[in-house]
């Protein structure tokens, strides 16, 4: 026992010690917690005092509110053209907003809005504490479905007192929120709940240019607001959260989901029974909306295409520059009483509208069909049909090869009746039907001032415009740009930063990249061999553009330049060869393509096309000033001039330097103006689906597109040139009375005489004795880029006089000028004049004799080069051209065969007084007939380029054919010269 007690004593002592220790710890913790809470209390009191003072200050600064100031107001927004004339009014009070009284509002509509927007509206006194706490909890937990904390009263104040809440900073929003809650409590003491709700329902934006429930009921269901059913009321109530996202026409799926939530809320809150909820959910309400939308006719005149584009640009400006939401921008634009001053010139707009809608400008007019049919069958199922179903009926049932176009409007309507008869069954009921015809082919046109970026006139299509904010083919649709894009993606970057000049040559021959072999639009005319960038522009040569992009520029740089030119529709799929030919993933809009060419016309400086100069609010304050829009330089002024000069040549009557019988002509002669200088580029896509011309005068840049809305070919629907006639007629009238100041040559540009087959300095007596004529001409160059090397694509060879092949010891010999061509290439116009490789088989002998002085590919500057004999071509005497002296080989053939040429080139500014030769002054040189296998008939499209790919192409080039080196030794061939009807380039 004693032993046990002895053992327990230490244990008891240990417990006593541990207990004391815990007491001390607990005491310390209690003091710490006490201190902490006391500190919190002090901070809370101080913070509360400060908060109360701050809130009091905010409330004191709240605006006054009373019954009269809280009613919705609709101020008309007025649109003025550049002459100060009113052209449109946007959403005039009483036209887009109609006031409904509380007695007109059906109970189902009131209950629908209250259930989803403010379930305790009839109980609270302006603010709902529970809703605020729920909203705060949702923010903290990230639960977006928790709902907002604003009551209907607060929303009414926000819309009508705080202009929808346009605060930019968080602090301003917090201040407005406190004032909003204070005013909501104050308002409910002055205004009856029913009046608050009525004003709210008359104020809200419900999409599709509808303000208030009365207009929305008519817009979506074609009935008075008092006639709305439960199903229809929940559709309208679902729009409020986001007029664009939940629009029952364009956002049907989102609206349907929100409608289900509203019906569930109404059921849970006791407004409807389960049977009423299920009946509403089973209602195919959206088919009625589509039918009303199709047949809706606006009472007022629809906006013009210019105003349509203006509305879009102003909305984006309010969002991007002022930080508004889409709803806020919409509300301000349509009911804010703005004054919008536009760039539209009424006289120029009238010219554009007149020519676009002139039937005489269309060789062939057909019609497409827009069809809507809604049918309810005997089992109450609803079926919707469109023109796509009619087309499917033709292809799968009739098998008649129908392409979607009709010769007359009557034929289109008759076909719709025939289709309707084929699908209607006993017991079917037609709920709604709409038949509308559309003129084809369609056209869009953009006219702008390149110096300011101001859009002066625009047309989004031909035919009667029947609704506002309808399809605008000038701004809203994107089409493949075809060969117009060669200038933007290939030639501009090549000249600007890639070391090329207008004289740089590439070998026009069969070209394969990956599994695609590319052709030119003149493929029936054979390939043409060495051709310059100038040629590539004037004659729209696909191979030259492709090789420029793939072998020099690279698609990456091409995309970057196009983007800098203002093209916003390029994608990651466009880094490929098709970029050179305008075969893009999404295509381009006419507005952006015209803006890109306006950059060239504006000496290389881009200005975004703009439709307005300034916007003034209802109180006379300028809220947006667009008179000095932002600009940026895309290309050097020298590059812009070089492109301009080449594109100007494409509008003149020129033929490619080639053998007799080959007729490859400039592609834009139908856009030539007799009363004004003009430069531009045409474009035609595969199968003649899209045709373009974009060009400019010293004053204006204009782009025209033509095609069918559903991509039918133009080959049998008006042809591929009528759009250029429209462009020419419009721009001829636009230019009347203006002085033709031409396109001045900038100080950054000089001239030099070069060989058109190499782009380098001509060899006297050789380059001017090409078998097809004189291949020398004067070209423009950016200063510092004039070539310093002699031509390496021409040479002289000693051949058998009879066979023209390499001579044997027994052959009578002569010398002739020949072409050095890259190995492994397909047959071209140049290859028939290439240095021969076979030996004469007429005179016998086995030892071929080639003049030791005849260079081959890779010839260097110090090799001796012979000249063509005078028996074939007269010896050219030295000449003086624009202060440029070119040395010439002596007349003795054999002496010249051992002489090394020493061309002397002294570039200088061109003489602006010297005019280009007229066609009657041009001497056509002696030419050599092409081989028998060359077709000598004119091309099927004498002035149009085509065969451009649709969509992305391939990126890995397989053709390793050489081209002229970049830099000072770059080559170019200008079209024209003595082998063309008219000279091209600075002069000769």
């Amino acid at each position: 026992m004693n032993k046990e007690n002895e053992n327990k004593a230490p244990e008891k002592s240990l417990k006593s010690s541990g207990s004391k220790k815990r007491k001390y710890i607990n005491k310390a913790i209690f003091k710490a917690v006490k201190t902490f809470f006391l500190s919190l209390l002090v901070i809370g009191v101080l913070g509360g005092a400060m908060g109360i003072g701050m809130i009091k200050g905010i409330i004191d600064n709240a605006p006054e509110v009373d019954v009269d100031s809280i009613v919705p107001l609709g101020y008309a927004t007025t649109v003025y053209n550049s002459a100060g004339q009113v052209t449109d009014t946007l959403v005039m009070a009483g036209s887009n907003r109609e006031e409904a009284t509380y007695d007109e509002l059906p109970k189902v509509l009131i209950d629908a809005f209250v259930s989803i927007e403010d379930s305790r509206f009839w109980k609270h006194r302006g603010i709902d504490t529970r809703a605020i706490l729920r909203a705060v909890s949702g923010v903290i937990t990230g639960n977006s479905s928790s709902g907002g904390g604003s009551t209907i009263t607060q929303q009414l104040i926000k819309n009508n007192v705080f202009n929808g809440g346009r605060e930019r900073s968080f602090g301003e929003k917090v201040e407005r929120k406190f004032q909003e809650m204070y005013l909501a409590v104050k308002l409910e003491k002055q205004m009856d709940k029913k009046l608050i709700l009525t004003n709210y329902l008359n104020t809200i934006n419900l999409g599709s240019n509808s303000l208030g429930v009365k207009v929305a009921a008519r817009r979506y269901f074609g009935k008075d607001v008092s006639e709305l059913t439960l199903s229809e009321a929940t559709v309208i109530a679902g729009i409020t959260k986001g007029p664009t996202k939940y629009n029952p026409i364009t956002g049907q799926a989102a609206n349907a989901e929100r409608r289900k939530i509203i019906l569930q809320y109404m059921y849970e809150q006791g407004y409807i029974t389960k049977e009423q909820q299920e009946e509403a959910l089973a209602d195919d309400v959206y088919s009625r909306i589509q039918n009303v939308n199709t047949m809706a006719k606006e009472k007022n005149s629809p906006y013009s295409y210019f105003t349509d584009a203006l509305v879009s640009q102003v909305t984006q400006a309010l969002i991007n520059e002022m930080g508004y939401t889409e709803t806020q921008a919409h509300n301000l634009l349509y009911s804010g009483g703005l004054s919008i001053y536009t760039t539209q010139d009424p006289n120029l707009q009238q010219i554009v509208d007149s020519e676009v809608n002139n039937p005489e400008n269309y060789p062939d007019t057909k019609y497409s069909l827009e069809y809507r049919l809604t049918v309810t069958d005997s089992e109450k199922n609803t079926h919707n049909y469109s023109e796509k179903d009619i087309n499917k009926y033709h292809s799968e049932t009739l098998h008649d090869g129908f392409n979607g176009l009709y010769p007359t409007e009557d034929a289109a309507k008759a076909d719709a009746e025939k289709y309707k008869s084929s699908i209607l069954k006993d017991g079917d009921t037609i709920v709604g039907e709409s038949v509308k015809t559309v003129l084809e082919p369609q056209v869009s046109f953009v006219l702008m001032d390149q110096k300011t970026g101001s859009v002066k006139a625009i047309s989004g299509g031909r035919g009667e415009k029947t609704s506002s904010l309808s399809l605008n083919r000038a701004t809203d649709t994107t089409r493949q740009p075809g060969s117009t894009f060669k200038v933007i993606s290939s030639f501009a970057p090549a000249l600007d930063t890639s070391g090329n000049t207008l004289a740089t040559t590439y070998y026009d021959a069969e070209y394969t990249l990956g599994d695609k072999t590319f052709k030119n639009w003149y493929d029936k005319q054979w390939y043409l061999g060495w051709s310059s960038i100038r040629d590539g522009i004037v004659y729209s040569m696909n191979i030259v553009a492709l090789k420029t992009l793939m072998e020099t520029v690279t698609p990456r740089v091409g995309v970057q330049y196009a983007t800098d030119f203002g093209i916003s529709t390029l994608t990651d799929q466009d880094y490929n060869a098709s970029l050179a030919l305008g075969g893009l993933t999404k295509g381009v809009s006419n507005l952006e393509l015209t803006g890109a060419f306006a950059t060239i016309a504006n000496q290389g400086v881009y200005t975004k096309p703009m439709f307005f100069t300034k916007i003034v609010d209802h109180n006379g304050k300028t809220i947006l000033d667009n008179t000095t829009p932002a600009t940026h330089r895309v290309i050097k002024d020298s590059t812009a001039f070089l492109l301009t000069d080449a594109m100007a040549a494409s509008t003149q009557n020129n033929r490619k330097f080639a053998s007799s019988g080959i007729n490859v002509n400039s592609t834009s002669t139908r856009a030539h103006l007799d009363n004004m200088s003009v430069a531009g580029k045409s474009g035609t896509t595969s199968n003649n689906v899209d045709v373009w011309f974009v060009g400019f005068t010293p004053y204006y840049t204009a782009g025209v597109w033509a095609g069918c809305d559903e991509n039918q070919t133009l080959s049998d629907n008006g042809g591929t040139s009528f759009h250029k006639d429209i462009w020419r007629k419009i721009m001829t009238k636009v230019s009347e009375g203006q002085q033709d100041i031409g396109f001045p040559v900038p100080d950054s540009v000089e001239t030099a005489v070069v060989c058109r087959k190499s782009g380098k300095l001509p060899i006297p007596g050789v380059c001017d004795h090409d078998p097809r004529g004189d291949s020398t001409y004067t070209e423009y160059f950016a200063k510092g880029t004039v070539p310093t090397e002699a031509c390496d694509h021409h040479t002289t060879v000693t051949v058998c006089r009879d066979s023209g092949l390499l001579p044997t010891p027994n052959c009578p010999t002569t010398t002739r000028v020949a072409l050095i061509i890259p190995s492994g290439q397909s047959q071209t116009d140049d290859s028939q004049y290439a240095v021969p490789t076979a030996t004469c088989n007429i005179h016998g002998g086995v030892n071929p004799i080639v003049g030791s002085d005849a260079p081959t590919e890779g010839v260097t500057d110090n090799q001796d080069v012979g000249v063509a004999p005078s028996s074939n071509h007269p010896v050219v005497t030295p000449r003086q051209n624009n202060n440029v002296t070119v040395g010439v080989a002596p007349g003795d053939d054999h002496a010249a065969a051992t002489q090394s040429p020493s061309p002397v080139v002294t570039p200088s500014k061109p003489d602006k007084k010297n005019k280009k030769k007229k066609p009657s002054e041009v001497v056509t040189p002696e030419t050599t007939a092409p081989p028998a296998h060359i077709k000598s008939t004119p091309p099927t499209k004498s002035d149009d380029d085509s065969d451009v790919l649709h969509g992305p192409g391939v990126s890995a080039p397989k053709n390793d054919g050489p081209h002229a080196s970049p830099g000072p030794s770059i080559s170019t061939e200008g079209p024209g010269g003595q082998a063309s009807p008219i000279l091209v380039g600075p002069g000769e």
Side-chain angles (χ1 to χ4, degrees), residues 523-710:
D523 58 301
K524 294 181 181 180
Q525 292 280 305
W526 217 21
Y527 293 98
L528 302 180
W530 294 113
S531 300
S532 67
I533 286 181
R534 177 181 282 275
D535 286 342
I537 295 173
V538 175
Y539 307 112
S540 197
M541 303 176 73
N542 290 350
I543 305 303
V544 173
L546 284 162
K547 289 188 174 182
T548 300
L549 177 71
M550 300 306 292
E551 298 177 4
T552 302
V553 173
T554 75
R556 180 187 63 81
V557 174
V559 167
Q560 182 59 57
Y561 265 85
T563 302
D564 290 344
F565 271 112
I567 306 299
S568 66
T569 50
L570 297 177
T571 71
D572 291 341
Q573 304 301 314
D574 291 319
Y575 292 92
N576 53 63
S578 294
L579 177 72
L581 306 182
L584 308 179
T585 305
K586 292 184 177 180
V588 299
S589 72
N590 192 345
L591 180 66
E592 289 192 348
L593 189 60
T594 302
F597 275 74
T599 303
I600 301 172
N602 193 33
Q603 291 79 52
V605 176
Y606 172 80
T607 304
K608 183 178 179 179
M610 63 177 185
F611 291 86
F612 69 94
T613 56
K614 67 176 179 177
I615 300 176
V616 178
D617 69 11
H618 186 62
N619 298 316
K621 177 184 177 182
T622 299
I623 61 174
L624 280 177
D625 189 338
N626 206 27
T627 53
T628 55
T631 62
H632 64 264
R633 179 165 291 281
V634 180
I635 54 177
K636 293 174 285 192
D637 65 339
S638 58
T639 304
F641 173 78
L642 297 178
L643 293 172
T644 297
D645 190 69
M647 288 192 290
S650 76
T651 68
Q652 299 167 352
N653 185 25
N654 296 297
R655 182 174 70 86
K656 178 74 166 69
F657 183 86
S659 298
S660 175
I662 295 179
N663 295 301
V664 175
N665 300 308
S666 46
T667 59
S668 301
T669 55
R670 290 183 77 148
H672 177 77
L673 303 181
D674 293 331
N675 63 337
M676 185 63 64
S677 296
V678 61
K681 183 72 186 73
S682 61
T684 307
T685 63
S686 298
N687 301 318
N688 297 325
V689 169
D690 300 285
V691 293
W692 296 81
F693 182 77
V694 189
F696 49 88
T697 69
Y699 302 96
Y700 296 108
T701 302
V704 63
W705 164 86
C708 296
D709 287 336
E710 295 300 324

Side-chain angles (χ1 to χ4, degrees), residues 448-461:
M448 60 183 291
D449 181 337
Q450 59 254 23
K451 293 181 177 62
T452 64
S454 300
V455 177
K456 295 298 183 179
I458 193 170
S459 174

Side-chain angles (χ1 to χ4, degrees), residues 836-859:
T837 57
T839 303
C840 175
N841 57 5
I842 297 177
H843 301 98
V846 295
N847 297 320
I849 300 175
V850 182
S852 60
D853 56 345
T856 59
E857 187 172 14
V859 64

Side-chain angles (χ1 to χ4, degrees), residues 55-77:
I55 293 174
K56 185 177 183 301
I58 291 174
I59 291 175
D60 289 342
N61 290 327
E64 291 297 324
V65 61
D66 54 37
V67 176
D68 294 329
S69 66
I70 206 67
V71 296
L73 297 175
Y75 294 104
T77 287

Side-chain angles (χ1 to χ4, degrees), residues 895-946:
T898 60
Q899 180 179 352
S900 177
S902 302
V904 178
V905 180
T906 308
S908 65
K909 293 183 182 179
D911 185 357
K912 297 182 181 179
K913 296 182 180 179
N914 291 337
K915 297 182 179 179
K916 295 180 180 179
K917 295 180 181 178
K918 298 179 181 179
S920 60
E921 298 174 332
V922 178
V923 179
T924 303
E926 177 184 352
T927 57
T928 303
H933 63 275
I934 302 178
K935 295 182 179 181
S936 60
T937 56
T940 56
K941 292 172 291 179
S942 63
D943 64 344
D944 292 311
D945 56 311
S946 62

